[in-house]
């Protein structure tokens, strides 16, 4: 009896030292101790050789040992079973862990979120729409009928499967879709990716990102447009920023304008960013053309509205002094990790 108790003690030490570092060793362990011809089973077989008055004591020792052997198996299975390399005994818990580098937001996302945040505070809702669009929502409804020369302002990717489909050239398609729903008033901004068939260079890419905005209600005026956009750039560049509106042309707005802000780098005298003019162009805007309202089933005699659109890349480049558009889509972490904070 004493001999067998000593033997069990020795097995315990053996189990403690048993190296289970991979699935094969785990199986070896299982067969040796817990298998049908294993040590635990064999020890239970010894029961009949134990004197009756010590059977109870021996039974307890055996059960204890069995639990111990199974416990070792279960904890080793959690590590060794799933990763062949890891072994409970080969892990040095005192070593420092592998650092997981924290990611950072893409600069386009940072600026987009900032723009969205400003307009949301003014009560604009974010609206979304398809990037593969039909001709109606990207062009015709926006007062750009077929063969209209203004279509050349936006070189377009067409889908060869169906000549009516294209990659949207602006997010104005979302505005059309929103107006077609017929629920007024509308106060939305439409952030998203847009596509234009341009030769890739430092200043042009085949896709970029926009935020466009639309407000339609009774009595909306150009004064509302100016005040809203003025508030927007003050939030973006600070209270001292000045704005100016230059007459422009878009088929879907009348009157139309380009909005410039006073150069936030030099503050006026002229520098490289503003090309020595003191002004930086940041968006296009105007009052929604009555034909566009009619195309969407809205009565232009009752409702008016304004729209605006800006390129996020352009604002981001100006903001951070980035001089090559391609950097945004090359995914070079040395570039991307520089933009960790808010704009
Ligand atoms: N859709 C125009 C573009 O992509 C931008 C714009 C939107 C201009 C709304 C005026 C009004 O160029």
């Amino acid at each position: 009896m004493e001999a067998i108790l000593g033997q069990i003690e020795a097995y315990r030490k053996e189990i403690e030292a048993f190296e289970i570092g991979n699935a094969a060793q785990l199986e070896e362990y299982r067969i040796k101790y817990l298998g049908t011809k294993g040590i635990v089973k064999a020890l239970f077989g010894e029961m009949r050789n134990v004197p009756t008055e010590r059977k109870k004591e021996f039974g307890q020792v055996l059960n204890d040992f069995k639990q111990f052997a199974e416990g070792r198996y279960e904890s080793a299975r959690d590590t060794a079973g799933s990763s062949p390399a890891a072994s409970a005994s080969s892990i040095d818990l005192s070593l420092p862990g592998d650092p997981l580098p924290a990611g950072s937001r893409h600069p386009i996302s940072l600026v987009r979120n900032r723009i969205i945040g400003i307009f949301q505070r003014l009560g604009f809702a974010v609206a979304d729409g398809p990037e593969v669009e039909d001709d109606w929502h990207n062009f015709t409804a926006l007062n750009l009928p077929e063969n209209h020369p203004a279509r050349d302002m936006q070189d377009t990717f067409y889908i060869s499967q169906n000549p009516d489909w294209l990659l949207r050239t602006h997010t104005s398609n979302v505005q059309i879709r929103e107006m077609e729903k017929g629920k007024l008033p509308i106060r939305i901004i439409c952030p998203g990716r847009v596509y234009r068939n341009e030769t890739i260079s430092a200043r042009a890419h085949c896709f970029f990102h926009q935020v466009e905005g639309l407000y339609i209600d009774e009595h909306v005026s150009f004064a509302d447009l100016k005040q809203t956009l003025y508030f927007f750039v003050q939030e973006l560049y600070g209270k001292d920023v000045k704005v100016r509106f230059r007459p422009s042309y878009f088929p879907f707005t009348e009157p139309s304008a380009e909005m410039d802000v006073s150069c936030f780098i030099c503050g006026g005298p002229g520098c490289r960013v503003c090309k020595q003019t003191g002004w930086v162009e940041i968006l296009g805007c105007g009052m929604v053309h009555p034909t566009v309202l009619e195309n969407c089933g809205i009565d232009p005699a009752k409702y008016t509205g304004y729209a605006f659109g800006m390129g996020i890349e352009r604002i981001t480049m100006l903001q951070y002094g980035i001089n090559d558009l391609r950097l945004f889509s090359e995914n070079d972490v040395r570039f991307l990790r520089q933009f960790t904070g808010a704009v």
Side-chain angles (χ1 to χ4, degrees):
M1 173 74 187
E2 300 314 322
I4 200 155
L5 289 179
Q7 181 69 55
I8 291 174
E9 227 12 74
Y11 282 142
R12 266 183 190 268
K13 296 224 166 69
E14 205 180 279
I15 285 175
E16 269 166 9
F18 197 105
E19 193 179 333
I20 311 178
N22 54 42
Q25 287 170 339
L26 183 70
E27 183 61 3
E28 194 187 313
Y29 174 89
R30 191 190 63 77
I31 292 168
K32 179 164 183 194
Y33 294 100
L34 306 171
T36 41
K37 292 186 184 135
I39 286 167
V40 170
K41 195 95 187 230
L43 286 171
F44 272 93
E46 291 293 325
M47 193 63 124
R48 61 183 179 292
N49 305 327
V50 173
T52 322
E53 70 277 10
R54 297 197 69 177
K55 274 200 194 315
K56 192 172 165 209
E57 180 200 345
F58 185 65
Q60 268 169 5
V61 171
L62 268 188
N63 276 328
D64 226 41
F65 175 70
K66 184 176 174 225
Q67 272 177 17
F68 174 74
E70 285 173 350
R72 175 78 218 279
Y73 177 76
E74 271 152 31
S75 62
R77 187 182 49 194
D78 293 343
T79 43
S82 50
S83 96
S87 143
S89 54
S90 71
I91 294 174
D92 182 350
L93 295 175
S94 65
L95 286 174
D98 288 334
L100 269 183
S104 58
R105 284 206 194 282
H106 194 283
I108 296 292
S109 303
L110 284 173
V111 173
R112 181 199 57 207
N113 292 350
R114 179 108 195 272
I115 296 170
I116 290 175
I118 296 170
F119 283 106
Q120 275 182 332
R121 268 179 279 142
L122 286 172
F124 283 77
V126 174
D128 203 3
E131 291 181 21
V132 178
E133 188 51 284
D134 55 40
D135 183 277
W136 169 259
H137 291 97
N138 192 81
F139 284 132
T140 308
L142 284 152
N143 200 25
L144 278 142
E146 221 182 311
N147 302 322
H148 192 289
R151 285 196 179 200
D152 293 344
M153 286 164 76
Q154 303 176 356
D155 286 322
T156 309
F157 287 111
Y158 286 92
I159 309 274
S160 53
Q161 253 177 315
N162 184 338
D164 193 45
W165 291 346
L166 46 87
L167 297 182
R168 67 177 178 193
T169 58
H170 47 191
T171 59
S172 308
N173 67 324
V174 184
Q175 309 188 1
I176 297 297
R177 286 177 177 278
E178 209 62 34
M179 286 191 276
E180 282 177 341
K181 288 181 189 164
K183 262 185 71 188
L184 294 158
I186 295 170
R187 198 188 283 143
I188 51 164
I189 48 165
C190 324
R193 182 175 280 196
V194 303
Y195 302 83
R196 294 190 192 175
N197 189 2
E198 292 183 31
T199 314
I200 297 172
S201 71
R203 298 173 59 88
H205 210 313
C206 53
F207 65 84
F208 63 101
H209 299 81
Q210 283 189 326
V211 177
E212 293 205 346
L214 176 72
Y215 178 33
I216 310 253
D217 202 349
E218 293 179 39
H219 315 300
V220 177
S221 73
F222 202 89
D224 297 318
L225 166 66
K226 284 178 86 170
Q227 192 55 39
T228 305
L229 293 179
Y230 183 43
F231 174 83
F232 165 64
V233 293
Q234 280 190 319
E235 290 292 295
L236 199 60
Y237 297 120
K239 294 280 174 227
D240 294 336
V241 72
K242 294 189 197 62
V243 293
R244 76 176 183 190
F245 289 79
R246 283 178 292 109
S248 183
Y249 170 76
F250 298 103
F252 28 84
T253 46
E254 182 61 35
S256 305
E258 307 275 358
M259 188 175 91
D260 298 342
V261 293
S262 52
C263 181
F264 41 82
I265 303 292
C266 67
C271 68
R272 263 181 54 214
V273 169
C274 62
K275 301 201 192 80
Q276 313 304 330
T277 63
W279 295 96
V280 181
E281 179 191 321
I282 64 157
L283 56 80
C285 58
M287 300 304 291
V288 179
H289 198 292
T291 306
V292 175
L293 294 175
E294 268 170 12
N295 286 342
C296 300
I298 296 172
D299 179 2
K302 187 165 178 215
Y303 289 98
T304 49
Y306 63 72
F308 55 87
M310 65 194 97
I312 306 178
E313 274 81 350
R314 179 170 167 73
I315 293 182
T316 310
M317 288 170 92
L318 292 167
Q319 189 87 41
Y320 291 113
I322 297 165
N323 55 13
D324 193 327
L325 198 58
R326 290 168 293 197
L327 288 165
F328 290 127
S329 46
E330 280 171 354
N331 284 340
D332 185 334
V333 285
R334 289 170 303 177
F335 170 72
L336 294 174
R337 77 158 72 101
Q338 298 173 67
F339 308 92
T340 46
V343 182

